Amino acid sequence: MQKAADDEGLVGIGFISNVARSYPMSNVGSGFASQFIGTAANDGNTLVGSDGIELAYNSILSGKNGVETYQKDASGHPLPGTTKVIKPVENGSDVYTTLDSRLQEQLETLMDKAASDSGAQQLSATLMTKDGQILATTQRPTYTPATKNTATDQKYFTWNSLLFQTGFEPGSVMKTFLMASALDSNKVDLNATYDRTELKVYDATIKDWDINEHSKFLLPTIVNYADGFMMSSNVGMSRIEQQMGYNTWEQYLKKFKFDMRVRTGLSGEVASSLPAANAVSQVQSAFGQGIAVTQIQLLRGWTTFANNGVMLEPHGISQIVNPNENTSLTVGKEVIGNPVSSSAISKTLQLMEGVDTNATYGTAYTALGDAEDNIPANSPLIQINGNPAAVKTGTAQIAAPGGGYIQGAESNLYSMVAMYPASNPDFIMYMNIKLPTKTWSLHYISRVVNPMLTLAESRKSEIFQTTSVDKAGKVKIADYSNENPGSVTDTLRQEILQPVLVGSTTETGVKIVKQSISSGTSVPANTRILLLTSGSPLMPDMYSWTKEQVDQVAKWYNLKVTYSGSGSSVTKQSVTAASSIKKGQSLTITLGN
């Protein structure tokens, strides 16, 4: 406004600036991804992010103050026309999220109804593309700018994002990872049968849901492992874990990175927890108990199911635009590993489709249908344009404050992951409902998932369109020596780079000791940078790495590398990712395209 007045030669008009960040969609429903986006508050004459993206990206959004001089009248007000700029303002960058406004708006509305219908303490849901873009995410209870000051009056309200700031035992959705791992390691014969009556593991007795909930078996007690997966048999998945052995299962948990935070650049992400060192917890982790994860870790792992065994990093930021230089940093796909084979994924997706379509064993197949959601009787409960999805339902016990688990009817965390299309998913959606006070029904989730996936499918061409960049910016690499690995990883993701930690990060006092790109170097967005930690040597997942990047790790660890094949990137490695290695160890790398 001031510039426009100056350009027109107007005098006698003055303007007083006021700092603000607007939230144009913030009053849709009960909020608009409120805990994810966060808020900012005035600190003097400066806006400071309080939580969510606002907090994590505060320094990027804030910019730097300028300096100007002016004459004042007797009352201390600036005299128009006397202002001189000594140092221009450096505006903060514009941060664009991956959220799709139409999908987010619909999700907020649907979640309001699900919260009302279920009477649950907490609900959360996230829709993501196969390449990791978070299209919509929300939780209940939540808030808007208008209700922020009274948000804590809501029972069970939390400022924490349930997406990445809360760990929990996920329940049976974890069986997707168990089955894919067992198929990849050839530790399960889907046609082999077993007795699912019960399974004793030391002092614990594992039983299936029908005998636990109804005190009788509603389905046959002798089934094969394929049927066991579709009916969500805890006994069956526990037997598969025992066939694998925990050492193998733990290795796959680490290949899916359940031992590592996602580090999307958002503040306050909590750590996960692998099973304790006892056989009962280790077996129970096969069906999602005795292990604590975050929702964003699950979503990261499920990108593997949508990309033929290749895992990608989730992200909620699509672009950062620097208005001072008119440059952009645009987020690209970030490949972070290849935990399992494409054939293991294909077979697991078929089983997940059976969860939705198998009339006898499928836990998402409905005999009664759902008139409210236009789902006919005797059909898949999850349908997108009449087509089934790849689905896994989950029921998890919730840890009690004093130990053990909360007891009583409906005293569970109910959940579902749905991927569509079933055989080659473009979209992944996860939703959970904690402690409903109304009689539990899977319809509470399906009436959110179905319309969300249907709308996403209709908007696919817009969602997957390529973002044009007029002038690509560069990122200047700093010196990260002796820095905390987690903090540096968050910072680099905020700068739209792709950091990879090499070496253990769980030992006390671990710091970064070396980096693959020298400080002072300017690199394009999405550049992969390797960071060697002072922790014990661990083999990274080198899938999609360049030969130069492999050579860098080989130099750090004095590895003896043999290359085979031709191509520009790694397709196979002889030493399993996440396994301990010794300096001087041999490593065979296969290159391909």
Side-chain angles (χ1 to χ4, degrees):
M1 295 289 287
Q2 182 69 63
K3 184 179 184 302
D6 292 341
D7 290 344
E8 292 296 326
L10 298 176
V11 295
I13 299 176
F15 297 90
I16 298 175
S17 62
N18 181 46
V19 292
R21 293 178 191 165
S22 62
Y23 306 92
M25 301 293 291
S26 59
N27 288 300
V28 172
S30 298
F32 193 82
S34 299
Q35 279 96 335
F36 181 68
I37 293 175
T39 56
N42 275 311
D43 181 10
N45 197 39
T46 303
L47 273 177
V48 177
S50 304
D51 51 337
I53 292 173
E54 288 282 12
L55 172 61
Y57 287 78
N58 185 69
S59 61
I60 294 171
L61 289 161
S62 296
K64 297 178 181 177
N65 292 330
V67 177
E68 63 182 20
T69 62
Y70 51 82
Q71 297 177 27
K72 296 186 292 185
D73 61 18
S75 300
H77 298 117
L79 293 173
T82 65
T83 300
K84 291 183 180 180
V85 176
I86 305 302
K87 179 183 177 183
V89 168
E90 186 175 318
N91 293 316
S93 294
D94 299 322
V95 176
Y96 291 80
T97 73
T98 56
L99 299 179
D100 180 290
S101 61
R102 284 183 59 188
L103 287 165
Q104 184 67 43
E105 183 176 358
Q106 177 169 274
L107 181 60
E108 299 291 357
T109 302
L110 292 168
M111 288 287 279
D112 279 344
K113 187 175 187 304
S116 175
D117 288 350
S118 66
Q121 286 187 7
Q122 291 180 332
L123 303 87
S124 57
T126 299
L127 173 63
M128 189 176 73
T129 66
K130 65 187 296 180
D131 54 7
Q133 297 179 67
I134 296 172
L135 298 175
T137 184
T138 196
Q139 64 191 66
R140 295 292 180 274
T142 188
Y143 65 93
T144 68
T147 62
K148 180 184 176 184
N149 292 334
T150 59
T152 53
D153 293 340
Q154 301 178 85
K155 199 173 183 181
Y156 309 117
F157 176 83
T158 176
W159 291 108
N160 286 346
S161 167
L162 299 182
L163 177 63
F164 63 95
Q165 291 177 317
T166 303
F168 64 106
E169 294 177 69
S172 292
V173 293
M174 200 71 195
K175 294 171 183 174
T176 57
F177 300 104
L178 184 281
M179 181 55 75
S181 301
L183 288 166
D184 186 67
S185 56
N186 295 312
K187 296 298 183 180
V188 61
D189 177 358
L190 294 176
N191 295 316
T193 59
Y194 68 97
D195 184 341
R196 68 179 191 87
T197 304
E198 65 178 28
L199 176 66
K200 289 189 178 295
V201 181
Y202 293 95
D203 59 344
T205 301
I206 296 170
K207 297 180 180 181
D208 281 351
W209 60 267
D210 51 356
I211 190 69
N212 278 331
E213 294 178 18
H214 302 280
S215 300
K216 63 180 179 179
F217 293 105
L218 304 180
L219 294 169
T221 55
I222 304 297
V223 296
N224 64 35
Y225 285 103
D227 295 336
F229 178 88
M230 289 185 286
M231 69 172 291
S232 204
S233 167
N234 287 349
V235 173
M237 299 308 105
S238 298
R239 288 182 178 275
I240 292 174
E241 191 278 340
Q242 290 180 322
Q243 290 166 195
M244 293 176 68
Y246 182 67
N247 287 342
T248 300
W249 173 223
E250 182 186 38
Q251 199 152 53
Y252 277 99
L253 288 172
K254 291 180 177 180
K255 288 170 77 172
F256 279 111
K257 300 187 185 298
F258 283 110
D259 61 329
M260 298 179 66
R261 291 176 173 92
V262 175
R263 297 287 185 188
T264 61
L266 296 172
S267 305
E269 182 181 352
V270 300
S272 55
S273 177
L274 294 184
N278 66 76
V280 174
S281 293
Q282 291 167 357
V283 169
Q284 289 178 333
S285 68
F287 52 90
Q289 302 284 174
I291 181 173
V293 302
T294 60
Q295 292 184 37
I296 202 164
Q297 281 183 313
L298 291 171
L299 289 162
R300 173 176 63 182
W302 285 322
T303 63
T304 311
F305 293 70
N307 293 280
N308 298 310
V310 177
M311 188 160 63
L312 303 180
E313 201 73 81
H315 56 278
I317 303 301
S318 63
Q319 193 176 46
I320 297 178
V321 177
N322 185 331
N324 306 294
E325 301 175 0
N326 292 319
T327 57
S328 300
L329 299 172
T330 301
V331 179
K333 290 197 295 187
E334 183 178 354
V335 174
I336 55 171
N338 183 201
V340 294
S341 65
S342 60
S343 61
I345 288 298
S346 178
K347 291 175 184 176
T348 306
L349 284 172
Q350 289 173 19
L351 292 172
M352 292 175 68
E353 187 173 3
V355 172
D356 202 24
T357 61
N358 189 291
T360 303
Y361 297 105
T363 57
Y365 186 87
T366 175
L368 299 176
D370 184 7
E372 183 176 318
D373 203 22
N374 295 316
I375 302 297
N378 299 311
S379 68
L381 182 59
I382 304 302
Q383 291 189 33
I384 294 84
N385 300 323
N387 301 312
V391 173
K392 185 69 193 76
T393 59
T395 302
Q397 290 183 286
I398 300 171
Y405 291 102
I406 298 173
Q407 301 297 315
E410 324 296 339
S411 297
N412 299 302
L413 178 87
Y414 300 95
S415 63
M416 176 189 288
V417 58
M419 305 183 195
Y420 186 82
S423 60
N424 187 21
D426 289 316
F427 301 104
I428 304 163
M429 184 160 186
Y430 174 74
M431 179 174 172
N432 67 30
I433 296 181
K434 181 180 180 181
L435 294 169
T437 57
K438 310 286 180 64
T439 302
W440 169 247
S441 169
L442 198 57
H443 297 305
Y444 299 145
I445 292 180
S446 65
R447 289 168 187 168
V448 176
V449 170
N450 279 334
M452 287 301 297
L453 288 176
T454 300
L455 180 57
E457 178 66 16
S458 73
R459 292 179 54 75
K460 185 160 61 175
S461 60
E462 298 168 73
I463 290 168
F464 288 101
Q465 67 182 352
T466 303
T467 303
S468 59
V469 179
D470 293 331
K471 184 181 177 183
K474 292 285 187 81
V475 182
K476 190 173 183 179
I477 300 297
D479 183 356
Y480 308 114
S481 300
N482 297 315
E483 297 291 330
N484 177 275
S487 300
V488 170
T489 300
D490 274 332
T491 298
L492 291 173
R493 287 252 164 71
Q494 291 167 3
E495 294 176 341
I496 320 299
L497 296 178
Q498 299 183 359
V500 178
L501 296 174
V502 179
S504 173
T505 59
T506 59
E507 296 153 8
T508 303
V510 169
K511 302 292 184 182
I512 292 172
V513 293
K514 292 182 181 179
Q515 57 195 72
S516 62
I517 303 175
S518 301
S519 61
T521 306
S522 293
V523 298
N526 306 301
T527 295
R528 181 182 286 131
I529 176 171
L530 312 181
L531 304 167
L532 180 66
T533 77
S534 58
S536 301
L538 293 177
M539 177 56 64
D541 193 325
M542 295 178 168
Y543 184 84
S544 85
W545 285 23
T546 64
K547 181 177 181 295
E548 290 73 22
Q549 289 162 348
V550 176
D551 288 341
Q552 179 65 79
V553 173
K555 181 180 178 181
W556 285 341
Y557 284 152
N558 192 28
L559 302 178
K560 300 173 183 177
V561 184
T562 301
Y563 291 97
S564 64
S566 60
S568 58
S569 61
V570 176
T571 58
K572 290 182 181 179
Q573 59 191 77
S574 62
V575 180
T576 303
S579 61
S580 298
I581 55 175
K582 296 179 180 179
K583 292 191 175 184
Q585 188 169 334
S586 296
L587 170 67
T588 300
I589 293 292
T590 303
L591 297 173
N593 293 312

